[in-house]
Amino acid sequence: MLESRIRDLLCTARDEAKKQGINAEFSFHREHSSLIRLGNSAIALSTFEDLTRLDISVFDGRKTGDYGLTADIVSLDQLRSALKKAHDNAQAALPKDYEPIFGVVEKTIDDAGGYDPALENLSPEAKGDLCAKVVKTMKPKGNYDFSGSWSSGSTEMYLTTTANSNEAYRKLTDGRLVLVLKEQDKKWELSVEQPGRAAKDFSADAAIREFEAMLPVYEKNPGFRAQLGHQRVMFGPQSISQLMALAIWSGFGGRAWEEKRAFTSENKPGDMLLSDLVTIGDDPTNANVYRMPFDYKGIARKAFPIVEKGVFKALMYDSATAAKYGKKPTGHDVGSGDFVFAPGSGKPGIAAGLATAGDALYIPYLHYIGLPDPARGMFTGSSRFNARQVKGGEFVAPMCSTRVTDTIPNVLSHVIAVSSKSEFFDVSATYGRRTPEAVSVPEYIICDNVRINDVADGF
Amino acid sequence: MSSSIQDIARTVKAEFARMTGSGCSFADARLYDEDSSEYLMLYDGNLEANTARLERGIGVRVLKAGAWGFAATANLAAIPQCFDRALANSVAAAKLLGFPRDMGKGKASKGSYHSPVKDDPFEVPLADKLDFLKRADAALVAPHVAHRITQANFQRRKVFYWNTEGTEVDRWQLNTFGMLMVMAPDKEGRNQRRSHELCGDGCGTRGFEWLADPKCFGANAESIKNELAQLLAAENLPPKRRDVILLPGMGFLQVHETIGHALELDRILGYELSFAGGSHVRPEMIGKLKYGSKKLNARAGIVENSPGTFGFDDEGTPQRDYLLIDKGILVNVLSSRTDLGEANAKAGRTVVTDSGTAARSCAFYRPPIDRMTNINIDPGNDGTLEDIVKATKDGVIVDVPVSWSIGSNREHFHFGCEIAWEVIDGKRTKIFKNATYHGHTLEFWGALDKVGSKETWCLRQVPNCGKGEPNQIMELGHGIPVMRFANVETGEKE
């Protein structure tokens, strides 16, 4: 549970608010973050941030107001002042035309199962040593430069409201190592990623093995320019996570659906929308994700099917959308989900995927996705790291940067194979507060009829 | 300077002495004494965001043996420990050293910057701001409008900067952003939208009075409602090659993504490869690369009223105004002090001499990186929008991005737009929806054949430029005229 000094302050502030008849939600966030950035085979930057944040929301009937602080929490007076500001904001607010949902922590949760002190305290020296091993092993073998980043740290989240005395607390560690090898003359870029919950999850040897497995095709062959038009594509973990996120947010968010902005807006639960090889859900019990046990309204999260064997199962409602449209919130007032693309029956291993694909484009990363027409689920993005041409079930050439512009319903309706092996893939961003997020995705899916509409000369 | 700031300054300077004594060649500190923000958003008339936030803390950097270390804390009683952390990070980074980081020769700066403001939005009572937004929202109501968004956000930062060269500067920066949007399902039942963001001519003040100026904000309600009504009955833009006329509301993002980001020196040198990506530009191309047609003059400018104007960057260097692209030739890049030596070494000659004053950080807990400031296109002499339309045989005018997707080296792009007006034989014909265009950066800028005159030039604000690891969201500006590009791939072949 949260350290007693801060917890006592927060509970006292909560109880004082209750005595004054103020409905308030208190959300506390603390992070210890460190990151090294690698550039030109050297550590370009090493950072450490020790940050605490407090967010207070006050509900006054149909009026709400919020106030947040990023500052050291040192006194009750500081909390009283922040509560007053949130209360003042609520009092000055315009009333909504619906009854907003006030947060109730359903049950006390104390979850530190994902915490590894060794990862929280992983030193920049240790990170530098691992990176140095990769660089010093690989660099002499070619005209390579390395870049990358390695973020790691701990996050604590704590929630309590004046609705009751329950407290929801979570402490976990997460890390993500990204290494990029760039060939300086030919300009192609390879990437290896390692996500981790514990310090032991990171390995220089594994990274070296992955690079070495990819290099021969890149070293021996010129760049391949894919033909424009519709092609068979084998997607890898990052691109699958992108496709899944696009499907979820442009298809199965309650507000987008209610307001006819979703590609599913003309459909209803029970409709067959995608290939029967596609099953997607939000599952905080899955071993491959960071498992957020509660949302920011205090709802204890549980497995939530979204698409099952291609069939539209349910929509996700955050509390504001649920209140507005008279629905029940589904535990999706979250900074991050626990999304899972279920494994299929395809043989495990990339080699088995290639054999199934035959002739195809392998696009494991989709870079910088845009949504030109979200109501149709239309997306566009380009290949990046590790993309290769597949011919006769084998990698034969590195691919020049290739743009995919298609719709989610089309791509996910033409799935012909899904690997039976799942991967833990970290999708955390470090914008604002540390918010660990991972997805569980198959190591590959193969889709037919994917539209390629541009190819660059370079990688 | 208040007594508490003086106390912090004394502590920082004592730490500078300690760091220098520990062998550091440079150190600096940025105290965010106040970083306030307020976000207000009405969605269909409901106040869905009513949020205020305050951040306060310090970020410090030390440079030892050619390696940077950064640390930040909100605990202002722990500044010495923060320097210790930064030093330890620097020592660790020095174990895997490439091109040694070097600040070059520095000159101490002293001074203050204050954004031009009449009415500080943080001093305007919340009830008055909400009353204003409610009236702005009411103007969006129409039978054909299904959903509407009216929003404003305000930022106020008081930042003190010190470094070991004796620089002492402070910034009082204020930003005001506003947006109106209307949405409705079209005849196929799919959502269309039209929006307007607070913008201006780059002059004047940037407080609440700017948002309250009808011509910059509220008076645009009628036009976006009318254009939404036309979009609802419109067809998709038919795919083909044609000329594309970018209004400033679209051109700013084209410049942002395919000139601004591509010319950030840290991207050029490969320091962003693992996340944001690299650049098709290499150091040796500076001074030589034909980036676009002779009509293209791009600069990192100083604009009186812009979030990209800040007086002194986050290395304390006074902001300057300089050309990036001169008559189509790449002549400079966006830089800070730390990468100049490496760029020149890699180019094999001197390609950059002075900091581009582009070292910027978004918060006390983020280190400065190379960022855009005001990346502007100089006005041309091709007249008004209507003059350019008259000179167009087969083209399309596009405005306001819906989506943007850019290649990892900024070498190719795809944009979706809220609205398109077809131009045939010098006349606007009809409106199309779901307009897109795509192309390759150098070919596209090489096809720039009309640049509107000064009266078409408009300052657009960007409140949300993302870059860096740890990630940073930055505010900046783009002053853009109307621009026409010949023979561009438009629309989507199904």
Side-chain angles (χ1 to χ4, degrees):
Chain A
M1 189 49 94
L2 184 62
E3 77 170 87
S4 57
R5 179 184 68 85
I6 293 172
R7 183 181 170 205
D8 290 348
L9 287 173
L10 289 167
C11 288
T12 304
R14 176 198 67 198
D15 294 343
E16 284 189 6
K18 191 169 184 178
K19 272 188 195 161
Q20 294 167 48
I22 298 172
N23 296 318
E25 302 167 354
F26 295 82
S27 173
F28 175 84
H29 181 280
R30 178 160 59 193
E31 67 178 82
H32 295 280
S33 293
S34 70
L35 179 141
I36 62 167
R37 294 192 80 191
L38 206 60
N40 297 316
S41 305
I43 297 175
L45 180 68
S46 179
T47 69
F48 174 79
E49 299 97 38
D50 167 18
L51 301 170
T52 54
R53 295 176 173 93
L54 175 67
D55 296 283
I56 301 177
S57 297
V58 168
F59 287 61
D60 182 6
R62 294 190 168 204
K63 301 197 293 185
T64 61
D66 305 326
Y67 187 75
L69 276 176
T70 301
D72 211 25
I73 304 297
V74 293
S75 72
L76 193 54
D77 281 345
Q78 188 187 15
L79 297 188
R80 286 175 181 142
S81 168
L83 175 66
K84 182 176 184 313
K85 285 173 178 156
H87 188 237
D88 289 348
N89 283 351
Q91 296 228 301
L94 305 169
K96 302 181 204 301
D97 65 6
Y98 62 88
E99 204 67 46
I101 294 171
F102 181 57
V104 178
V105 179
E106 287 182 342
K107 61 179 183 181
T108 290
I109 294 171
D110 183 359
D111 175 11
Y115 174 66
D116 173 40
L119 182 54
E120 180 182 53
N121 298 308
L122 188 64
S123 70
E125 287 86 355
K127 290 179 176 179
D129 288 346
L130 187 151
C131 292
K133 184 174 180 185
V134 176
V135 170
K136 287 172 183 170
T137 304
M138 298 295 299
K139 205 166 169 12
K141 298 178 181 176
N143 188 15
Y144 308 141
D145 252 349
F146 284 85
S147 50
S149 66
W150 189 348
S151 168
S152 63
S154 66
T155 308
E156 289 176 279
M157 289 172 248
Y158 172 89
L159 176 70
T160 190
T161 83
T162 52
N164 57 34
S165 57
N166 291 341
E167 300 161 85
Y169 173 73
R170 181 195 199 200
K171 183 176 189 179
L172 78 164
T173 43
D174 72 290
R176 181 186 187 193
L177 168 63
V178 181
L179 291 168
V180 175
L181 178 159
K182 179 168 187 168
E183 211 281 346
Q184 291 302 300
D185 297 322
K186 296 175 184 169
K187 306 291 180 194
W188 42 255
E189 297 162 5
L190 303 180
S191 176
V192 166
E193 292 203 20
Q194 294 180 358
R197 299 182 186 84
K200 65 177 174 49
D201 294 338
F202 301 93
S203 158
D205 292 338
I208 292 165
R209 277 196 303 274
E210 270 199 69
F211 279 128
E212 289 187 331
M214 288 187 278
L215 276 169
V217 166
Y218 280 82
E219 295 282 17
K220 292 175 187 165
N221 301 286
F224 166 73
R225 286 176 55 92
Q227 281 199 327
L228 305 189
H230 292 84
Q231 307 264 3
R232 173 172 289 184
V233 175
M234 179 165 153
F235 293 104
Q238 190 271 359
S239 52
I240 298 168
S241 78
Q242 292 278 309
L243 293 172
M244 176 168 70
L246 288 170
I248 288 167
W249 298 116
S250 67
F252 303 100
R255 186 173 289 267
W257 186 85
E258 297 279 358
E259 297 178 359
K260 307 285 183 199
R261 289 186 281 111
F263 71 80
T264 56
S265 287
E266 299 302 313
N267 302 104
K268 58 187 186 310
D271 288 354
M272 185 84 182
L273 292 183
L274 306 173
S275 158
D276 62 5
L277 298 180
V278 175
T279 293
I280 292 171
D282 181 13
D283 185 0
T285 66
N286 187 290
N288 268 353
V289 293
Y290 286 123
R291 292 181 272 189
M292 180 66 178
F294 56 89
D295 80 350
Y296 288 115
K297 284 287 173 181
I299 295 176
R301 281 164 43 79
K302 53 192 177 197
F304 186 84
I306 296 169
V307 175
E308 209 166 85
K309 294 185 177 172
V311 175
F312 176 5
K313 296 300 286 184
L315 293 157
M316 302 177 300
Y317 284 88
D318 59 46
S319 59
T321 306
K324 169 81 180 164
Y325 290 101
K327 301 285 168 55
K328 199 175 168 196
T330 55
H332 288 99
D333 284 82
V334 283
S336 59
D338 294 301
F339 295 111
V340 175
F341 192 126
S345 57
K347 286 184 183 171
I350 292 297
L354 296 176
T356 305
D359 294 351
L361 308 178
Y362 178 61
I363 301 181
Y365 285 80
L366 271 174
H367 177 67
Y368 212 135
I369 295 217
L371 287 166
D373 187 0
R376 290 179 59 206
M378 179 180 276
F379 70 96
T380 183
S382 52
S383 69
R384 193 178 183 185
F385 308 123
N386 309 353
R388 281 158 280 177
Q389 181 194 14
V390 182
K391 205 168 179 182
E394 292 186 347
F395 289 128
V396 294
M399 267 169 53
C400 293
S401 181
T402 300
R403 179 167 292 283
V404 177
T405 303
D406 207 326
T407 67
I408 285 291
N410 181 61
V411 172
L412 293 184
S413 293
H414 290 88
V415 181
I416 61 165
V418 176
S419 172
S420 56
K421 184 182 167 209
S422 287
E423 293 201 355
F424 161 41
F425 193 82
D426 190 298
V427 293
S428 306
T430 52
Y431 290 114
R433 61 193 67 190
R434 188 172 197 87
T435 307
E437 182 173 10
V439 294
S440 176
V441 289
E443 63 180 348
Y444 66 81
I445 67 171
I446 302 168
C447 302
D448 273 341
N449 200 39
V450 178
R451 183 171 163 249
I452 306 298
N453 74 324
D454 197 13
V455 181
D457 294 328
F459 298 96
Chain B
M1 204 185 286
S2 69
S3 59
S4 67
I5 301 298
Q6 285 173 352
D7 289 344
I8 291 168
R10 268 193 292 275
T11 304
V12 164
K13 288 172 188 173
E15 290 305 309
F16 283 167
R18 191 164 68 89
M19 292 298 111
T20 307
S22 302
C24 295
S25 58
F26 180 87
D28 64 6
R30 285 170 299 109
L31 170 70
Y32 280 61
D33 187 40
E34 178 197 343
D35 187 348
S36 294
S37 59
E38 184 175 30
Y39 176 48
L40 304 169
M41 191 263 281
L42 292 169
Y43 193 104
D44 294 344
N46 286 311
L47 183 63
E48 299 291 3
N50 177 19
T51 302
R53 180 156 208 96
L54 173 67
E55 300 190 335
R56 187 165 191 257
I58 193 165
V60 307
R61 291 192 305 177
V62 302
L63 183 59
K64 183 176 181 183
W68 278 119
F70 173 84
T73 182
N75 181 358
L76 294 176
I79 291 172
Q81 293 89 325
C82 191
F83 272 95
D84 286 340
R85 274 284 194 172
L87 181 60
N89 283 340
S90 158
V91 169
K95 288 174 72 177
L96 186 59
L97 191 64
F99 197 97
R101 324 304 287 170
D102 177 16
M103 292 296 278
K105 283 184 185 169
K107 197 172 82 176
S109 301
K110 308 268 183 194
S112 295
Y113 172 78
H114 199 293
S115 299
V117 170
K118 276 187 193 158
D119 299 327
D120 181 344
F122 291 89
E123 305 303 325
V124 175
L126 177 59
D128 292 356
K129 287 180 275 197
L130 292 175
D131 185 54
F132 169 80
L133 290 177
K134 195 176 169 184
R135 280 185 279 115
D137 181 68
L140 298 177
V141 173
H144 68 279
V145 173
H147 301 288
R148 53 192 200 279
I149 297 173
T150 304
Q151 70 180 35
N153 55 323
F154 310 105
Q155 299 166 333
R156 186 172 69 185
R157 293 188 180 126
K158 181 72 175 168
V159 182
F160 292 86
Y161 174 89
W162 304 277
N163 70 24
T164 49
E165 295 166 342
T167 289
E168 294 186 24
V169 296
D170 61 83
R171 297 196 307 263
W172 187 98
Q173 255 184 294
L174 191 131
N175 289 324
T176 298
F177 302 100
M179 194 268 284
L180 303 168
M181 181 184 285
V182 285
M183 297 180 280
D186 62 20
K187 59 187 181 180
E188 280 97 32
R190 295 190 176 119
N191 190 66
Q192 296 295 328
R193 74 181 212 204
R194 191 71 180 108
S195 65
H196 172 78
E197 295 207 17
L198 177 64
C199 59
D201 61 7
C203 300
T205 56
R206 53 187 299 97
F208 190 73
E209 70 283 352
W210 190 26
L211 191 69
D213 181 347
K215 73 176 189 300
C216 296
F217 192 61
N220 294 279
E222 282 308 309
S223 64
I224 64 173
K225 281 192 300 187
N226 291 340
E227 287 165 2
L228 178 69
Q230 295 175 71
L231 280 170
L232 300 184
E235 303 294 329
N236 286 341
L237 178 69
K240 71 169 180 176
R241 279 193 169 267
R242 47 163 75 91
D243 293 351
V244 168
I245 300 168
L246 302 185
L247 298 185
M250 188 70 221
F252 84 96
L253 197 65
Q254 183 74 49
V255 170
H256 181 92
E257 302 292 3
T258 62
I259 291 180
H261 278 307
L263 299 190
E264 291 158 347
L265 186 54
D266 55 357
R267 286 185 74 120
I268 291 170
L269 293 174
Y271 290 105
E272 283 279 327
L273 270 190
S274 61
F275 178 62
S279 174
H280 59 91
V281 173
R282 299 191 302 274
E284 65 271 24
M285 294 174 171
I286 301 168
K288 294 179 177 174
L289 177 67
K290 187 172 183 299
Y291 209 98
S293 76
K294 286 187 175 176
K295 296 245 178 198
L296 178 60
N297 292 292
R299 69 175 58 245
I302 295 179
V303 178
E304 179 184 16
N305 176 11
S306 171
T309 300
F310 38 79
F312 301 88
D313 76 357
D314 279 305
E315 289 177 343
T317 313
Q319 187 176 9
R320 63 189 183 91
D321 187 313
Y322 55 97
L323 275 169
L324 293 164
I325 299 171
D326 185 7
K327 297 184 186 67
I329 302 297
L330 177 68
V331 294
N332 211 333
V333 292
L334 289 162
S335 62
S336 51
R337 290 171 59 184
T338 190
D339 291 336
L340 301 179
E342 183 174 356
N344 291 331
K346 286 192 167 168
R349 61 191 168 92
T350 300
V351 291
V352 280
T353 52
D354 300 302
S355 166
T357 64
R360 302 182 71 191
S361 64
C362 70
F364 75 84
Y365 45 86
R366 294 291 186 258
I369 54 176
D370 295 348
R371 299 304 301 239
M372 281 179 248
T373 54
N374 302 295
I375 308 306
N376 306 334
I377 302 296
D378 286 352
N381 52 15
D382 291 313
T384 64
L385 170 62
E386 290 316 313
D387 292 332
I388 292 172
V389 167
K390 274 182 201 162
T392 302
K393 187 169 174 50
D394 181 7
V396 66
I397 306 166
V398 291
D399 196 20
V400 182
V402 169
S403 81
W404 48 98
S405 173
I406 329 294
S408 62
N409 289 309
R410 303 280 148 171
E411 71 283 41
H412 59 84
F413 59 84
H414 181 289
F415 290 103
C417 317
E418 282 186 357
I419 189 166
W421 293 266
E422 185 186 46
V423 177
I424 299 290
D425 294 331
K427 289 184 181 153
R428 294 189 202 212
T429 58
K430 53 187 173 180
I431 279 179
F432 287 110
K433 65 183 179 184
N434 298 327
T436 62
Y437 68 97
H438 68 267
H440 294 198
T441 299
L442 297 184
E443 180 188 347
F444 183 79
W445 284 106
L448 175 67
D449 64 358
K450 296 277 182 194
V451 179
S453 303
K454 176 76 178 166
E455 60 266 37
T456 72
W457 194 91
C458 176
L459 189 280
R460 309 296 298 204
Q461 304 195 99
V462 177
N464 56 354
C465 172
K467 188 189 167 187
E469 288 176 298
N471 304 148
Q472 303 196 39
I473 298 283
M474 184 55 76
E475 308 81 29
L476 50 105
H478 294 293
I480 306 292
V482 171
M483 297 179 286
R484 190 182 79 175
F485 300 83
N487 197 28
V488 177
E489 196 76 61
T490 64
E492 296 301 324
K493 291 173 188 153
E494 296 296 327

